[in-house]
Amino acid sequence: MTKAHIHILKDANEVSVKAADMIQEVVEQNERPVLGLATGSTPLGMYRELIDRYQAGEIDFSAVRTFNLDEYYGLAPDHPQSYYQFMMKSFFEHVNVPLEQIHIPHGKPTDVQAYCQQYDAWIEKAGGIDLQILGIGVNGHIGFNEPADELQPFTHLVRLKEETIEANARFFERREDVPQYAITMGIRNILQAKKIILLAIGEDKAAAVAGMLNAGITTRLPATFLQLHDHVHVLVDEAAASKLVSTSR
Ligand code: GLP
């Protein structure tokens, strides 16, 4: 059983619109809103919806500060497959978040450990994250917090699991091009957000979503740690909800 608010929506479009509504609310209610942002295919519709609202003059991002969850280690910001480029092309180039208010982990820091501590310090200095957007990996990862014996609380370097490399290979020309490591916010960074929205679309996420909500808390399915948070909204389409038992609907 879980405390999470579960929203089962008809399709990907409804998930994107609902997520955009929740972001808009936080942007409008806070003087200096801090958003935690995610990459992947899942939030693309949400970014598109927010861009449309910005272009229609319905939302203003000028006071927003953002922190992205993760970045491939070894890819510089100008690398076409970096999450930096993904975020610029999918969202930031089309809205008015000032560049100096955007934070995306650097994929090639000179000192990884010092950089990770710096990233945590930036989040803290911004006053913490008001709303964290999350996707979920097929193996239950959040950010790049992969299933493991231990999870890390703060921003850190992580080795990617084979199934993650496989799932993300579609963005690269060859499987060998997918980086083996990433820099990711840790579980504590995520749980410190005041509110969390997890988005999942499609049948291949159904098992991870069901596990996240119904299993006990386990490092083998990192998304189960969200059960420790009081303000989690899970936005799923019918396919991603298809393995939920009826009591959790
Ligand atoms: C990626 C990202 C995650 C994302 C997940 C799912 O590897 N690091 O933050 O949530 O995998 O991606 P997608 O939405 O493309 O299925």
Side-chain angles (χ1 to χ4, degrees):
M1 271 311 262
T2 174
K3 288 183 74 172
H5 304 273
I6 302 162
H7 307 257
I8 300 175
L9 300 151
K10 200 171 88 250
D11 54 21
N13 184 52
E14 280 195 12
V15 170
S16 302
V17 170
K18 176 82 184 161
D21 286 347
M22 294 175 85
I23 289 189
Q24 182 158 4
E25 196 181 301
V26 168
V27 169
E28 285 171 359
Q29 283 176 356
N30 290 273
E31 217 167 288
R32 302 192 67 206
V34 182
L35 300 178
L37 297 179
T39 52
S41 308
T42 311
L44 278 176
M46 175 194 80
Y47 289 133
R48 188 68 250 168
E49 178 67 24
L50 289 169
I51 292 166
D52 289 347
R53 292 181 193 191
Y54 169 71
Q55 287 172 349
E58 294 166 10
I59 183 166
D60 172 21
F61 292 101
S62 59
V64 169
R65 287 159 300 159
T66 67
F67 289 89
N68 262 77
L69 280 165
D70 47 19
E71 176 61 283
Y72 288 116
Y73 181 63
L75 302 193
D78 61 357
H79 190 287
Q81 265 76 43
S82 68
Y83 281 168
Y84 182 93
Q85 289 298 321
F86 176 95
M87 286 307 299
M88 289 299 149
K89 298 216 157 25
S90 311
F91 187 51
F92 291 127
E93 280 175 7
H94 313 281
V95 296
N96 67 335
V97 184
L99 203 53
E100 64 276 14
Q101 289 166 210
I102 296 169
H103 305 82
I104 300 169
H106 198 292
K108 275 189 155 180
T110 39
D111 178 339
V112 183
Q113 220 182 332
Y115 181 78
C116 290
Q117 283 174 11
Q118 175 70 259
Y119 201 71
D120 292 337
W122 284 328
I123 298 173
E124 203 179 313
K125 192 162 169 248
I129 292 167
D130 292 308
L131 177 63
Q132 176 67 54
I133 306 296
L134 294 176
I136 185 167
V138 281
N139 63 5
H141 74 214
I142 45 177
F144 269 134
N145 292 275
E146 296 277 39
D149 288 340
E150 292 179 352
L151 298 176
Q152 301 301 318
F154 296 114
T155 303
H156 61 286
L157 184 69
V158 64
R159 190 187 174 96
L160 300 179
K161 303 286 278 191
E162 279 309 312
E163 61 267 24
T164 298
I165 292 173
E166 195 66 53
N168 291 355
R170 66 189 194 278
F171 296 110
F172 293 81
E173 226 163 85
R174 293 169 310 174
R175 193 183 186 282
E176 310 87 84
D177 296 339
V178 188
Q180 309 244 328
Y181 290 85
I183 291 176
T184 182
M185 279 190 205
I187 292 293
R188 188 180 159 96
N189 296 118
I190 293 169
L191 291 179
Q192 277 185 324
K194 296 181 187 87
K195 192 171 173 178
I196 298 172
I197 308 181
L198 182 136
L199 313 178
I201 295 167
E203 211 185 329
D204 59 334
K205 298 294 172 67
V209 168
M212 160 180 81
L213 296 169
N214 298 327
I217 296 165
T218 167
T219 59
R220 290 283 150 199
L221 207 169
T224 55
F225 277 77
L226 298 177
Q227 294 176 28
L228 295 171
H229 197 283
D230 280 334
H231 304 285
V232 177
H233 290 261
V234 178
L235 273 49
V236 280
D237 71 347
E238 285 174 1
S242 59
K243 289 201 164 74
L244 289 177
V245 289
S246 54
T247 50
S248 48
R249 287 191 175 208

